[in-house]
């Protein structure tokens, strides 16, 4: 296995780093404190080709692979995890679902706008009473001639208010039946389709999270992705790839927090020495660096399997679980290294700390990853 970045990855990482320093870093705290979702920034990210990273060029995308995808998310998330989260959700969930399961007409209709950032994507699976138990959803889609009529609500949806195109999974069969749910594409402005309460979150505050509401929302049958009843099965496959996204997001946040802690430890002097010279601090840095390295290897192994179209459910779950837990641990220790200053907004680590926790929850909690991993190893 080659552990070196390719020339393409190196060039991409450098261009994303420059972009993040110029267009993201100056606004981080304003966006965070005011919960501003910077729509125009995502138009710029689209112009860079990073809203359709995995989308083939024929549909307006960049046609890159998962290793490049990780590089992009990592560099953005080193600066601002909430922007990294939105880029990940747009690429892997909404855009990824249409790319993987849409027919040619659907791909040609929606992917070019999504891939260039003209449209922002949302993806609706979670509901108020069905988080990890997604199969128990209550949102229904009832057939009516050439349409399906949707009623219900989705919760914790990234880009629910600002999104232009949403992929939504609704129940078309019995509750709990894995073949009783169907995926629909719904465009903003469709009668009966609206957004609800915006969540006031601990972290990731510049990444918009809100409800999607369906009140006798009529969706044409040609907007079904794949076949009726396949929505839940499709979603589980989408979440497989999504775990690479959250792994990359976790990796970026962890690296950002670690680099801030390393820098501070060399500059902060106590008892006449930089605090990095004390074993209590240097050992923290050693643990942080080692666990980040291990996370990176796992995430890129999952990417290699995904690129090769090989089974990656187990490794993807391992990568997501380990990288996200490492992210929280590293961010916590980065605050500790900063001492009292780490608890203030004058230094970046308090935000890394707040943002990190979402990584252990979104797209499947750590506990759900353990369920996935254990089921797979027990089948081997």
């Amino acid at each position: 296995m080659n552990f070196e970045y390719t020339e393409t990855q190196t060039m991409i990482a450098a261009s994303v780093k420059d972009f993040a320093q110029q267009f993201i870093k100056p606004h981080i705290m304003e966006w965070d404190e005011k919960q501003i979702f910077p729509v125009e920034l995502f138009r710029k990210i689209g112009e860079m080709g990073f809203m359709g990273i995995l989308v083939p060029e024929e549909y307006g995308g960049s046609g890159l692979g998962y290793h490049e995808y990780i590089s992009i998310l990592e560099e953005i998330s080193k600066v601002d995890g909430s922007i990294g989260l939105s880029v990940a959700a747009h690429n892997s969930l909404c855009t990824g679902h249409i790319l993987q399961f849409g027919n040619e007409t659907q791909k040609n209709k929606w992917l070019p706008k999504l891939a260039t950032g003209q449209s922002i994507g949302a993806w609706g699976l979670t509901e108020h009473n069905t988080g990890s138990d997604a199969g128990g959803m209550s949102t229904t889609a009832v057939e009516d001639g050439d349409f399906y009529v949707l009623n219900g609500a989705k919760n914790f949806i990234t880009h629910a208010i600002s999104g232009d195109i949403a992929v939504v999974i609704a129940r078309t069969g019995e509750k709990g039946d894995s073949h009783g749910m169907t995926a629909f594409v719904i465009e903003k402005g469709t009668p009966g389709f609206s957004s609800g309460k915006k969540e006031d979150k601990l972290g990731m505050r510049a990444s918009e999270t809100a409800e999607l509401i369906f009140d006798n929302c009529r969706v044409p049958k040609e907007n079904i992705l794949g076949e009726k009843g396949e929505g839940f099965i499709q979603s589980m496959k989408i979440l497989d790839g999504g775990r690479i996204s959250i792994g990359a997001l976790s990796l970026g946040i962890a690296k950002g927090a670690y680099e801030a802690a390393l820098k501070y430890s060399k500059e902060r002097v106590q008892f006449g020495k930089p605090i990095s010279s004390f074993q209590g601090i240097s050992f923290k840095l050693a643990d942080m660096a080692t666990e980040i390295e291990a996370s990176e290897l796992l995430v890129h192994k999952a990417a290699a399997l995904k690129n090769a179209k090989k089974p990656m459910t187990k490794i993807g779950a391992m990568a997501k679980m380990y990288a996200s837990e490492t992210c929280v641990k590293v961010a916590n220790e980065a605050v500790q290294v900063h001492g009292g200053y780490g608890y203030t907004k004058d230094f970046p680590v308090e935000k890394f700390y707040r943002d990190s926790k979402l990584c252990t929850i979104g797209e499947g909690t750590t506990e759900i990853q353990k369920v996935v991993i254990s089921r797979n190893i027990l089948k081997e």
Side-chain angles (χ1 to χ4, degrees):
M1 186 180 287
N2 183 1
F3 295 102
E4 297 298 319
Y5 262 24
T6 64
E7 186 178 347
T8 302
Q9 282 175 271
T10 302
M11 287 173 57
I12 288 171
S15 67
V16 179
K17 185 175 182 178
D18 290 344
F19 180 90
Q21 292 297 315
Q22 184 177 353
F23 295 106
I24 299 175
K25 191 171 183 179
H27 309 288
I28 291 171
M29 294 315 295
E30 180 192 2
W31 292 341
D32 181 75
E33 288 169 4
K34 295 180 181 178
Q35 295 199 78
I36 295 170
F37 177 65
V39 175
E40 288 309 309
L41 173 74
F42 291 91
R43 309 291 186 220
K44 286 190 178 75
I45 292 173
E47 289 169 12
M48 293 284 289
F50 302 147
M51 294 293 271
I53 301 166
L54 302 165
V55 176
E57 293 179 20
E58 65 191 277
Y59 303 117
S62 297
L64 298 171
Y66 273 87
H67 294 298
E68 292 80 13
Y69 182 40
I70 292 166
S71 300
I72 292 164
L73 289 182
E74 184 185 315
E75 289 299 331
I76 292 173
S77 304
K78 276 184 188 178
V79 176
D80 190 341
S82 54
I83 303 303
L85 173 63
S86 277
V87 173
H90 172 92
N91 274 278
S92 73
L93 299 179
C94 177
T95 305
H97 201 139
I98 294 170
L99 175 63
Q100 194 166 338
F101 295 105
N103 57 40
E104 282 305 306
T105 301
Q106 293 168 334
K107 289 177 184 178
N108 283 305
K109 182 177 181 180
W110 291 305
L111 287 180
K113 288 184 178 180
L114 288 165
T116 53
Q118 294 175 58
S119 294
I120 291 173
W123 191 75
L125 177 66
T126 299
E127 297 184 3
H128 290 274
N129 297 314
T130 58
S132 298
D133 180 21
M137 67 177 60
S138 298
T139 298
T140 57
V142 178
E143 193 170 358
D144 181 20
D146 292 332
F147 293 81
Y148 274 85
V149 180
L150 273 67
N151 281 286
K154 296 291 177 178
N155 195 31
F156 296 136
I157 308 306
T158 305
H159 311 146
I161 298 169
S162 301
D164 303 288
I165 297 167
V167 174
V168 175
I169 293 72
R171 186 161 57 80
T172 48
E174 295 301 314
K175 185 175 283 194
D177 178 7
S178 62
H179 293 281
M181 289 156 276
T182 302
F184 299 86
V185 180
I186 309 175
E187 297 181 4
K188 192 174 193 174
T190 301
F193 178 42
S194 63
S195 53
K197 180 170 88 70
K198 184 176 181 178
E199 302 295 342
D200 188 4
K201 299 176 296 184
L202 168 72
M204 301 291 197
R205 290 168 61 84
S207 180
E208 177 186 279
T209 306
E211 291 178 305
L212 289 176
I213 299 168
F214 311 94
D215 182 9
N216 291 319
C217 177
R218 295 174 65 81
V219 182
K221 285 183 176 177
E222 60 258 32
N223 285 28
I224 290 175
L225 293 173
E227 299 296 327
K228 176 184 175 181
E230 293 181 350
F232 183 76
I233 306 301
Q234 292 173 4
S235 297
M236 295 303 103
K237 292 176 180 175
I238 293 301
L239 288 172
D240 263 1
R243 287 170 187 144
I244 295 174
S245 300
I246 302 299
L249 175 67
S250 302
L251 198 56
I253 293 171
K255 285 188 177 183
Y258 165 73
E259 288 170 8
L262 182 64
K263 180 175 182 288
Y264 182 82
S265 73
K266 292 177 178 178
E267 295 171 350
R268 174 70 166 168
V269 174
Q270 293 285 270
F271 306 104
K273 299 177 182 177
I275 62 172
S276 58
S277 66
F278 296 108
Q279 193 176 79
I281 299 298
S282 65
F283 277 19
K284 284 184 188 297
L285 295 168
D287 286 340
M288 293 157 79
T290 302
E291 291 183 18
I292 288 171
E293 194 77 18
S295 299
E296 189 161 26
L297 290 171
L298 264 174
V299 173
H300 277 286
K301 181 172 183 179
L305 291 171
K306 187 71 174 172
N307 281 342
K309 294 181 168 53
K310 292 181 178 179
M312 49 74 64
T313 301
K314 180 184 75 173
I315 297 298
M318 287 178 170
K320 195 271 185 190
M321 179 184 77
Y322 190 83
S324 64
E325 291 292 341
T326 292
C327 176
V328 172
K329 182 177 177 181
V330 168
N332 179 52
E333 291 288 47
V335 171
Q336 195 72 13
V337 168
H338 280 72
Y341 290 111
Y343 207 64
T344 72
K345 292 184 183 289
D346 294 330
F347 288 81
V349 289
E350 66 84 28
K351 184 176 182 298
F352 286 126
Y353 183 56
R354 288 185 289 109
D355 288 347
S356 68
K357 189 57 195 168
L358 185 276
C359 297
T360 67
I361 299 169
E363 296 195 36
T365 63
T366 291
E367 292 73 23
I368 286 296
Q369 304 315 313
K370 289 181 179 181
V371 170
V372 173
I373 296 163
S374 60
R375 282 178 180 169
N376 276 269
I377 61 177
L378 290 170
K379 284 193 297 188
E380 292 172 353

Short mmCIF file of all heavy atoms in Angstrom, two decimals, residues 138-175:
data_model
loop_
_atom_site.label_atom_id
_atom_site.label_comp_id
_atom_site.label_asym_id
_atom_site.label_seq_id
_atom_site.Cartn_x
_atom_site.Cartn_y
_atom_site.Cartn_z
N SER A 138 -42.21 7.43 10.48
CA SER A 138 -43.65 7.68 10.39
C SER A 138 -44.07 8.45 9.15
O SER A 138 -45.25 8.43 8.78
CB SER A 138 -44.13 8.45 11.63
OG SER A 138 -43.90 7.69 12.80
N THR A 139 -43.13 9.15 8.51
CA THR A 139 -43.47 9.91 7.30
C THR A 139 -43.94 8.94 6.21
O THR A 139 -43.25 7.98 5.88
CB THR A 139 -42.26 10.71 6.80
OG1 THR A 139 -41.89 11.65 7.80
CG2 THR A 139 -42.58 11.47 5.51
N THR A 140 -45.11 9.22 5.65
CA THR A 140 -45.72 8.30 4.69
C THR A 140 -45.77 8.91 3.29
O THR A 140 -45.81 10.13 3.12
CB THR A 140 -47.15 7.93 5.11
OG1 THR A 140 -47.92 9.13 5.24
CG2 THR A 140 -47.16 7.17 6.42
N ALA A 141 -45.78 8.04 2.30
CA ALA A 141 -45.98 8.42 0.91
C ALA A 141 -47.05 7.50 0.34
O ALA A 141 -46.85 6.29 0.24
CB ALA A 141 -44.67 8.28 0.13
N VAL A 142 -48.21 8.07 0.01
CA VAL A 142 -49.36 7.29 -0.46
C VAL A 142 -49.56 7.54 -1.95
O VAL A 142 -49.61 8.70 -2.40
CB VAL A 142 -50.63 7.67 0.33
CG1 VAL A 142 -51.84 6.90 -0.20
CG2 VAL A 142 -50.42 7.41 1.82
N GLU A 143 -49.68 6.46 -2.70
CA GLU A 143 -49.83 6.56 -4.16
C GLU A 143 -51.18 7.20 -4.52
O GLU A 143 -52.22 6.87 -3.95
CB GLU A 143 -49.72 5.16 -4.77
CG GLU A 143 -49.57 5.15 -6.27
CD GLU A 143 -49.23 3.76 -6.82
OE1 GLU A 143 -49.08 2.82 -6.00
OE2 GLU A 143 -49.11 3.65 -8.04
N ASP A 144 -51.11 8.12 -5.49
CA ASP A 144 -52.32 8.79 -5.96
C ASP A 144 -52.13 9.11 -7.44
O ASP A 144 -51.61 10.17 -7.80
CB ASP A 144 -52.58 10.07 -5.16
CG ASP A 144 -53.85 10.79 -5.59
OD1 ASP A 144 -54.72 10.14 -6.23
OD2 ASP A 144 -53.98 12.00 -5.31
N GLY A 145 -52.55 8.19 -8.31
CA GLY A 145 -52.37 8.37 -9.75
C GLY A 145 -50.90 8.40 -10.12
O GLY A 145 -50.15 7.47 -9.82
N ASP A 146 -50.47 9.48 -10.76
CA ASP A 146 -49.07 9.62 -11.19
C ASP A 146 -48.20 10.27 -10.12
O ASP A 146 -47.06 10.65 -10.39
CB ASP A 146 -49.00 10.46 -12.47
CG ASP A 146 -49.61 9.74 -13.67
OD1 ASP A 146 -49.61 8.50 -13.67
OD2 ASP A 146 -50.10 10.43 -14.58
N PHE A 147 -48.75 10.40 -8.90
CA PHE A 147 -48.03 11.05 -7.81
C PHE A 147 -48.00 10.18 -6.56
O PHE A 147 -48.74 9.21 -6.45
CB PHE A 147 -48.71 12.39 -7.46
CG PHE A 147 -48.63 13.43 -8.54
CD1 PHE A 147 -49.50 13.42 -9.61
CD2 PHE A 147 -47.66 14.43 -8.48
CE1 PHE A 147 -49.44 14.39 -10.61
CE2 PHE A 147 -47.58 15.40 -9.47
CZ PHE A 147 -48.47 15.37 -10.54
N TYR A 148 -47.14 10.59 -5.63
CA TYR A 148 -47.19 10.10 -4.26
C TYR A 148 -47.44 11.32 -3.38
O TYR A 148 -46.87 12.39 -3.61
CB TYR A 148 -45.90 9.40 -3.85
CG TYR A 148 -45.86 7.94 -4.23
CD1 TYR A 148 -45.46 7.54 -5.50
CD2 TYR A 148 -46.23 6.95 -3.33
CE1 TYR A 148 -45.43 6.20 -5.86
CE2 TYR A 148 -46.21 5.61 -3.67
CZ TYR A 148 -45.82 5.24 -4.94
OH TYR A 148 -45.80 3.91 -5.29
N VAL A 149 -48.28 11.15 -2.38
CA VAL A 149 -48.60 12.25 -1.47
C VAL A 149 -47.87 11.99 -0.14
O VAL A 149 -48.15 10.98 0.53
CB VAL A 149 -50.11 12.39 -1.24
CG1 VAL A 149 -50.40 13.55 -0.29
CG2 VAL A 149 -50.83 12.59 -2.57
N LEU A 150 -46.97 12.90 0.22
CA LEU A 150 -46.15 12.74 1.42
C LEU A 150 -46.70 13.55 2.58
O LEU A 150 -47.09 14.72 2.40
CB LEU A 150 -44.71 13.17 1.16
CG LEU A 150 -43.76 12.11 0.58
CD1 LEU A 150 -44.16 11.72 -0.83
CD2 LEU A 150 -42.31 12.59 0.61
N ASN A 151 -46.72 12.92 3.76
CA ASN A 151 -47.11 13.60 4.99
C ASN A 151 -46.18 13.17 6.12
O ASN A 151 -45.88 11.98 6.26
CB ASN A 151 -48.56 13.27 5.37
CG ASN A 151 -49.56 14.07 4.55
OD1 ASN A 151 -49.74 15.26 4.77
ND2 ASN A 151 -50.20 13.41 3.58
N GLY A 152 -45.74 14.15 6.90
CA GLY A 152 -44.85 13.85 8.03
C GLY A 152 -43.76 14.89 8.13
O GLY A 152 -43.86 15.99 7.59
N ALA A 153 -42.69 14.55 8.84
CA ALA A 153 -41.58 15.49 9.03
C ALA A 153 -40.27 14.73 9.24
O ALA A 153 -40.27 13.61 9.75
CB ALA A 153 -41.85 16.40 10.22
N LYS A 154 -39.21 15.36 8.81
CA LYS A 154 -37.86 14.84 9.03
C LYS A 154 -37.12 15.82 9.94
O LYS A 154 -37.30 17.04 9.85
CB LYS A 154 -37.12 14.69 7.70
CG LYS A 154 -37.74 13.66 6.75
CD LYS A 154 -37.59 12.26 7.28
CE LYS A 154 -38.27 11.23 6.37
NZ LYS A 154 -38.08 9.85 6.86
N ASN A 155 -36.26 15.30 10.79
CA ASN A 155 -35.59 16.11 11.80
C ASN A 155 -34.07 16.02 11.66
O ASN A 155 -33.54 15.04 11.14
CB ASN A 155 -36.01 15.60 13.19
CG ASN A 155 -35.67 16.58 14.29
OD1 ASN A 155 -35.66 17.78 14.05
ND2 ASN A 155 -35.40 16.08 15.48
N PHE A 156 -33.38 17.05 12.18
CA PHE A 156 -31.92 17.13 12.13
C PHE A 156 -31.38 17.04 10.70
O PHE A 156 -30.41 16.33 10.44
CB PHE A 156 -31.28 16.02 12.99
CG PHE A 156 -31.57 16.13 14.46
CD1 PHE A 156 -31.91 15.01 15.21
CD2 PHE A 156 -31.51 17.35 15.11
CE1 PHE A 156 -32.19 15.11 16.56
CE2 PHE A 156 -31.78 17.46 16.47
CZ PHE A 156 -32.11 16.34 17.19
N ILE A 157 -32.02 17.76 9.79
CA ILE A 157 -31.63 17.68 8.39
C ILE A 157 -30.71 18.84 8.01
O ILE A 157 -31.08 20.01 8.13
CB ILE A 157 -32.88 17.69 7.47
CG1 ILE A 157 -33.88 16.60 7.92
CG2 ILE A 157 -32.47 17.51 6.01
CD1 ILE A 157 -33.31 15.19 8.02
N THR A 158 -29.53 18.51 7.55
CA THR A 158 -28.57 19.51 7.10
C THR A 158 -29.10 20.17 5.83
O THR A 158 -29.52 19.49 4.89
CB THR A 158 -27.20 18.85 6.82
OG1 THR A 158 -26.78 18.15 7.98
CG2 THR A 158 -26.15 19.89 6.47
N HIS A 159 -29.13 21.51 5.83
CA HIS A 159 -29.58 22.35 4.71
C HIS A 159 -31.09 22.28 4.49
O HIS A 159 -31.57 22.53 3.38
CB HIS A 159 -28.86 21.97 3.39
CG HIS A 159 -27.38 21.88 3.53
ND1 HIS A 159 -26.60 20.99 2.81
CD2 HIS A 159 -26.51 22.57 4.32
CE1 HIS A 159 -25.35 21.12 3.14
NE2 HIS A 159 -25.26 22.08 4.06
N ALA A 160 -31.85 21.98 5.53
CA ALA A 160 -33.30 21.87 5.39
C ALA A 160 -33.95 23.18 4.94
O ALA A 160 -34.94 23.17 4.22
CB ALA A 160 -33.93 21.42 6.71
N ILE A 161 -33.38 24.31 5.34
CA ILE A 161 -33.96 25.61 4.97
C ILE A 161 -33.40 26.12 3.65
O ILE A 161 -34.14 26.55 2.76
CB ILE A 161 -33.71 26.66 6.09
CG1 ILE A 161 -34.41 26.21 7.39
CG2 ILE A 161 -34.21 28.04 5.67
CD1 ILE A 161 -34.00 27.01 8.62
N SER A 162 -32.09 26.05 3.49
CA SER A 162 -31.44 26.62 2.31
C SER A 162 -31.29 25.64 1.15
O SER A 162 -30.94 26.06 0.03
CB SER A 162 -30.04 27.14 2.69
OG SER A 162 -30.15 28.13 3.69
N GLY A 163 -31.55 24.38 1.38
CA GLY A 163 -31.39 23.39 0.32
C GLY A 163 -32.37 23.60 -0.83
O GLY A 163 -33.52 23.98 -0.63
N ASP A 164 -31.91 23.34 -2.04
CA ASP A 164 -32.73 23.48 -3.25
C ASP A 164 -33.32 22.15 -3.69
O ASP A 164 -34.38 22.10 -4.31
CB ASP A 164 -31.88 24.05 -4.39
CG ASP A 164 -31.26 25.38 -4.02
OD1 ASP A 164 -31.99 26.37 -3.95
OD2 ASP A 164 -30.03 25.41 -3.79
N ILE A 165 -32.61 21.07 -3.38
CA ILE A 165 -33.02 19.73 -3.79
C ILE A 165 -32.84 18.80 -2.59
O ILE A 165 -31.78 18.81 -1.95
CB ILE A 165 -32.15 19.22 -4.97
CG1 ILE A 165 -32.36 20.11 -6.21
CG2 ILE A 165 -32.48 17.77 -5.31
CD1 ILE A 165 -31.33 19.88 -7.30
N ALA A 166 -33.86 18.01 -2.29
CA ALA A 166 -33.77 17.07 -1.17
C ALA A 166 -34.09 15.66 -1.62
O ALA A 166 -35.01 15.44 -2.42
CB ALA A 166 -34.73 17.48 -0.06
N VAL A 167 -33.30 14.71 -1.13
CA VAL A 167 -33.65 13.29 -1.27
C VAL A 167 -34.28 12.89 0.06
O VAL A 167 -33.67 13.06 1.11
CB VAL A 167 -32.41 12.42 -1.58
CG1 VAL A 167 -32.78 10.94 -1.55
CG2 VAL A 167 -31.82 12.80 -2.92
N VAL A 168 -35.50 12.39 0.00
CA VAL A 168 -36.26 12.07 1.21
C VAL A 168 -36.73 10.62 1.16
O VAL A 168 -37.22 10.15 0.12
CB VAL A 168 -37.49 13.01 1.33
CG1 VAL A 168 -38.35 12.61 2.52
CG2 VAL A 168 -37.03 14.46 1.46
N ILE A 169 -36.57 9.93 2.28
CA ILE A 169 -37.04 8.54 2.37
C ILE A 169 -38.34 8.54 3.15
O ILE A 169 -38.41 9.07 4.27
CB ILE A 169 -35.98 7.63 3.02
CG1 ILE A 169 -34.74 7.48 2.13
CG2 ILE A 169 -36.55 6.23 3.24
CD1 ILE A 169 -33.83 8.60 2.00
N ALA A 170 -39.38 7.97 2.56
CA ALA A 170 -40.70 7.93 3.20
C ALA A 170 -41.25 6.51 3.15
O ALA A 170 -40.87 5.71 2.30
CB ALA A 170 -41.66 8.90 2.49
N ARG A 171 -42.18 6.24 4.06
CA ARG A 171 -42.74 4.90 4.18
C ARG A 171 -43.84 4.67 3.14
O ARG A 171 -44.82 5.40 3.09
CB ARG A 171 -43.27 4.69 5.60
CG ARG A 171 -43.74 3.28 5.90
CD ARG A 171 -43.80 3.03 7.40
NE ARG A 171 -44.66 3.99 8.09
CZ ARG A 171 -45.99 3.91 8.13
NH1 ARG A 171 -46.61 2.92 7.51
NH2 ARG A 171 -46.70 4.79 8.80
N THR A 172 -43.65 3.65 2.31
CA THR A 172 -44.65 3.27 1.30
C THR A 172 -45.23 1.88 1.61
O THR A 172 -46.06 1.37 0.86
CB THR A 172 -44.04 3.26 -0.12
OG1 THR A 172 -42.80 2.53 -0.10
CG2 THR A 172 -43.77 4.67 -0.59
N GLY A 173 -44.77 1.29 2.72
CA GLY A 173 -45.26 -0.03 3.13
C GLY A 173 -45.48 -0.04 4.63
O GLY A 173 -45.76 0.99 5.24
N GLU A 174 -45.34 -1.21 5.22
CA GLU A 174 -45.56 -1.34 6.67
C GLU A 174 -44.39 -0.79 7.46
O GLU A 174 -43.24 -0.89 7.04
CB GLU A 174 -45.77 -2.82 7.04
CG GLU A 174 -47.04 -3.42 6.45
CD GLU A 174 -48.30 -2.70 6.90
OE1 GLU A 174 -48.42 -2.43 8.12
OE2 GLU A 174 -49.15 -2.39 6.04
N LYS A 175 -44.69 -0.21 8.61
CA LYS A 175 -43.65 0.33 9.48
C LYS A 175 -42.70 -0.78 9.93
O LYS A 175 -43.14 -1.86 10.33
CB LYS A 175 -44.27 1.00 10.71
CG LYS A 175 -43.27 1.71 11.60
CD LYS A 175 -43.92 2.46 12.75
CE LYS A 175 -44.54 3.75 12.29
NZ LYS A 175 -44.88 4.64 13.43
#
